[in-house]
Amino acid sequence: MRKIQLLTVCAWFALTGVYAQNNEKSLKEAYSDYFMIGVAVNQRNISDADQSSLVKKEFSSMTAENDMKPVSVHPEEGKWTWEKADRIADFCRQNGIKLRGHTLMWHSQMCDWMFYDKNHNLVKKEVLFERMREHIHTVINRYKDVVYCWDVFNECIADGGRRPNSEGKDQPLRESTFYKICGNDEFIRKAFQFAREADPKALLFYNDYNECDPVKRDRIYEMVKEMKDAGVPIDGIGMQGHYNIYGPSEEDIEAAVSKYAEIVDHIHVTELDIRVNQEMGGQLRFSRNEGVQVTNDQKLLQEAQYAAVFRVMRRHADKVDCVTFWNLSDRDSWLGANNYPLPFDKDYKPKNVYRVIRDFIPSTDNPDIKEDFKPSATCQPRQEYPQVNSQGYVRFRITAPSARYVIASAGHGGGMGGTVLKKQKDGSWMGTTLLPEDEGFHYYTLSIDGVQVIDPGTNSYYGGGRWMSGVEVPAHDDAFYAERTDIEHGNVQKILFPSKVNGDQLRVAYVYTPAGYDKKQKQRYPVLYLQHGWGENETTWPVQGKANIIMDNLIADGKALPFIVVMTYGMTNDIVFGRPFDRGKVAEDFQKVLVDELVPYIDSHFRTMADKKNRAMAGLSMGGMETHAITLARPEVFGHYGILSGGIYTPEEIKDKNQVDYIFISCGSKEWPDRVLKAVSDLKSAGFNAESYVSEGTAHEFLTWRRSLYVMAQKLFK
Ligand code: G3I
């Protein structure tokens, strides 16, 4: 739901107290048909009551972040320190959670004594292999009952570009102490051989980071393929997944998983976290983002990146059987809470990204998007984008070669707050909404590296307290607002009327007069005062709302009486959401402008039927709130009331049944239809002439309000 509409909806919910309960299924339940969901834990996570219950609720697999590593369990030759590792293993046994063993061999947090003799000289490889064998067998046998897979070797492949050896062949291995002793990859083969000896059933993984970087990906692929072809028992590849909000791209992740799936039957994402800066990987040198406030754009980029990772993994659920987050919450993260890397925040509360990951929509994994995109009706002349296809998908394209990211604030499928565009080779950025958009008009802006701008491809529309871009998704029933050339059209004129509210000033209104108004000099007309929502203004109904076109078509088809429509600024934009605002005061000031200044001005400058029976007030969203407040406060002024996605009337609120001839209440089917239907049935049972309308398949958006005007206008003044 767009930001402004979200603000308005929240306001309304806040105002009218209705809230949808989100289902409380857990991550492991949401993914039970795909793969296990795991988490790396420290001692606090399994001892603290709240944290341990979160672990038990959300996760079906666990990894010891540090406590099963060589230096933690085998700090000295012949000395074993199992306490912390045992506690984690016992927690798994007691709670039926599977345990990933991390890690048997690694160049870091390794028991360095293994490499050296008493005189601190590097030992011979045979000595090293014997010590490795004893370590691996001892650790595996201790946890054979609870560990279902082991990261046998961690991060043996070097980072960076090609490293030709003496024969010019790429030497892919990290020059660790293992490598220095062996001079080749035998130490890796031995480790897997020893692990298989120790536990013929456990799955044995090679685990590494930057595993989607094409150079490193191919090195990992080459090494594992060559070893497997040589009979080395490698069952799976661990993709650590230490990513950031800018990368790797979904395409690179897809390419890596597809490539690894060629040579192994098991792929695990072993250490997933997505930090909000441009660094990635498992290295310990990284910036902690101290004191940096995470922006909404960064949160959205993170949501899109997590959504992309899980989309790829769901597509490969035949090979991917576990995705593990590296730490329980931002508070536990090795990256520090300021890198904001995980679905649970520093207070162990689920972020929106948690819902994006949990409440995924399977159809978005392999969307079948028809490539019949056409420029939107909102495009400026000679502009090709944004485009809309026959299914309602919206595609954006802008040129911003030096941008770091581009987000379109439209396209809210999958619970995300927008569509993240991807950089194309030609320096342009393109992106298609995750899901088809609802039919009708949608506001949006572009955020380019955090700067909110209007899409240069579209006309501008006033919403959200500023001029924005818009995209029009054709509606199956859009004939009622089609610009017909076979009928007479009315006029829309901009008027300036004097006002003393909040200082002496001229205020603006747009006045629609039906076809023939100028010719039929004697005829007088009823008047509808039609209000916009929060963040909008007097241009909203004539432009986004197509109010005059809808009226022209209705009058031409004899479905509505000809009447004047007045659309003025409702002073809603001074409200800053999140800050307490005096609901009464908003309507109060506007009430004076509307009832004490504009109505008299219209009645004295247009041929109106200047009485209550021929005067109506209606509004969308916050304009509906103003209608509710003003019609109840000034029952002598309007005889017809209309609230479009802006609350309801209750019989008790309307002192005298005869004060109103007609009440219209509407909303979208994706809003609160039951409330609207009940309100109108209560009004009818109380003897009011009330009507409800629910716009099928729409939310708090313009097609709801265009259709509502179309229905309401046919009943007004009859
Ligand atoms: O245990 C000592 C403690 O006694 C001492 O007081 C404290 C003070 O520095 O250090 C503690 O050791 C720290 C250890 O974590 C346990 O908390 C080490 O300094 C610290 O470097 C170590 O960091 C771990 C890091 O691996 C070591 O490389 C991170 O927590 C852990 O998240 C990280 O995990 C690795 C994966 O195992 C492999 N892939 C990359 C990933 C991130 O680097």
Side-chain angles (χ1 to χ4, degrees), residues 389-402:
N389 82 344
S390 56
Q391 300 157 303
Y393 283 95
V394 177
R395 180 166 290 169
F396 306 92
R397 181 183 183 281
I398 73 143
T399 304
S402 53

Side-chain angles (χ1 to χ4, degrees), residues 472-493:
E472 188 77 38
V473 176
H476 69 280
D477 61 339
D478 58 14
F480 76 94
Y481 55 84
E483 297 178 356
R484 290 162 51 185
T485 54
D486 62 338
I487 63 168
E488 283 298 305
H489 284 278
N491 290 317
V492 176
Q493 61 184 286

Side-chain angles (χ1 to χ4, degrees), residues 290-577:
E290 297 298 353
V292 177
Q293 192 52 38
V294 177
T295 66
N296 286 341
D297 277 2
Q298 288 172 319
K299 291 177 183 173
L300 177 55
L301 290 166
Q302 186 186 59
E303 289 164 9
Q305 184 69 337
Y306 265 116
V309 171
F310 276 88
R311 253 196 316 277
V312 174
M313 301 313 159
R314 288 193 300 268
R315 283 199 288 265
H316 292 273
D318 58 332
K319 295 275 182 160
V320 175
D321 35 45
C322 184
V323 173
T324 292
F325 293 98
W326 200 243
N327 299 115
L328 180 57
S329 77
D330 288 355
R331 177 182 295 283
D332 305 292
S333 173
W334 66 293
L335 294 166
N338 285 337
N339 271 307
Y340 199 77
L342 293 158
F344 291 98
D345 67 17
K346 60 181 173 23
D347 306 317
Y348 299 91
K349 295 282 173 294
K351 301 173 187 174
N352 187 52
V353 67
Y354 167 88
R355 277 175 275 281
V356 168
I357 294 168
R358 183 193 64 188
D359 305 339
F360 63 89
I361 301 155
S363 62
T364 61
D365 294 355
N366 301 295
D368 128 35
I369 299 178
K370 288 203 179 68
E371 287 302 330
D372 55 0
F373 285 86
K374 294 191 184 63
S376 163
T378 55
C379 281
Q380 297 197 41
R382 289 185 303 288
Q383 292 292 330
E384 289 296 307
Y385 284 87
Q387 297 193 346
V388 183
N389 82 344
S390 56
Q391 300 157 303
Y393 283 95
V394 177
R395 180 166 290 169
F396 306 92
R397 181 183 183 281
I398 73 143
T399 304
S402 53
R404 196 160 38 131
Y405 70 84
V406 178
I407 298 171
S409 69
H412 296 243
M416 280 183 287
T419 302
V420 174
L421 278 56
K422 294 197 179 109
K423 191 162 190 178
Q424 312 298 306
K425 295 205 172 27
D426 64 0
S428 71
W429 292 75
M430 290 187 76
T432 304
T433 52
L434 192 66
L435 290 167
E437 285 292 283
D438 288 348
E439 294 176 330
F441 173 88
H442 303 289
Y443 290 111
Y444 74 95
T445 55
L446 293 173
S447 174
I448 301 178
D449 293 356
V451 183
Q452 300 284 330
V453 295
I454 290 181
D455 184 335
T458 81
N459 302 319
S460 303
Y461 305 86
Y462 198 85
R466 48 165 303 159
W467 288 100
M468 303 176 79
S469 294
V471 65
E472 188 77 38
V473 176
H476 69 280
D477 61 339
D478 58 14
F480 76 94
Y481 55 84
E483 297 178 356
R484 290 162 51 185
T485 54
D486 62 338
I487 63 168
E488 283 298 305
H489 284 278
N491 290 317
V492 176
Q493 61 184 286
K494 181 178 180 177
I495 63 158
L496 300 174
F497 63 98
S499 166
K500 295 205 175 327
V501 176
N502 301 348
D504 223 352
Q505 60 185 297
L506 282 180
R507 290 182 182 278
V508 181
Y510 283 86
V511 179
Y512 163 80
T513 48
Y517 176 89
D518 300 335
K519 296 200 190 75
K520 305 179 192 130
Q521 286 303 320
K522 291 268 168 291
Q523 184 170 347
R524 305 192 75 80
Y525 296 81
V527 185
L528 164 63
Y529 290 85
L530 186 59
Q531 285 309 119
H532 58 78
W534 178 82
E536 297 170 329
N537 72 8
E538 61 281 354
T539 65
T540 300
W541 268 112
V543 179
Q544 294 91 295
K546 294 185 181 295
N548 54 308
I549 299 292
I550 292 169
M551 290 304 300
D552 288 343
N553 296 349
L554 281 170
I555 295 167
D557 299 344
K559 290 181 178 163
L561 294 175
F563 55 82
I564 294 170
V565 181
V566 178
M567 299 153 275
T568 189
Y569 171 48
M571 301 161 78
T572 56
N573 305 355
D574 313 344
I575 293 165
V576 179
F577 277 92

